[in-house]
Amino acid sequence: MSTAITAPVDRLLYKPEEAAEALAIGRSTVYELMAEGALRYIKLGRTRRIRRIDLEAYVANLAPLPN
């Protein structure tokens, strides 16, 4: 039995759960970041989606700790 490995889809919009996986953080942390305005999102009806550009901007704005 073989399992096919597919390449990840280059998404434009992420569900909070998918964003959490992409950032390697917890789902509840993503919701906290959205609530405090640190991670921008859009609303589509009753759902929330995070644009790829907003994920990249969040990561780019993270400051590394000094050594």
Side-chain angles (χ1 to χ4, degrees), residues 19-20 22-25 33 38-40 50-64:
L23 295 172
I25 60 176
L33 292 170
L39 182 57
R40 296 179 61 185
I50 303 162
R51 299 180 307 166
R52 178 177 59 211
I53 193 167
D54 292 323
L55 284 175
E56 293 169 349
Y58 172 74
V59 172
N61 288 327
L62 292 175

Side-chain angles (χ1 to χ4, degrees), residues 3-65:
T3 54
I5 299 174
T6 58
V9 176
D10 191 21
R11 299 178 183 269
L12 296 175
L13 295 173
Y14 291 82
K15 296 177 185 176
E17 294 80 10
E18 296 166 338
E21 185 177 335
L23 295 172
I25 60 176
R27 181 182 64 90
S28 60
T29 304
V30 169
Y31 281 104
E32 289 172 9
L33 292 170
M34 291 190 307
E36 61 192 37
L39 182 57
R40 296 179 61 185
Y41 65 94
I42 60 170
K43 287 195 77 168
L44 294 172
R46 295 179 6 179
T47 63
R48 298 178 197 174
R49 294 294 183 262
I50 303 162
R51 299 180 307 166
R52 178 177 59 211
I53 193 167
D54 292 323
L55 284 175
E56 293 169 349
Y58 172 74
V59 172
N61 288 327
L62 292 175
L65 294 174

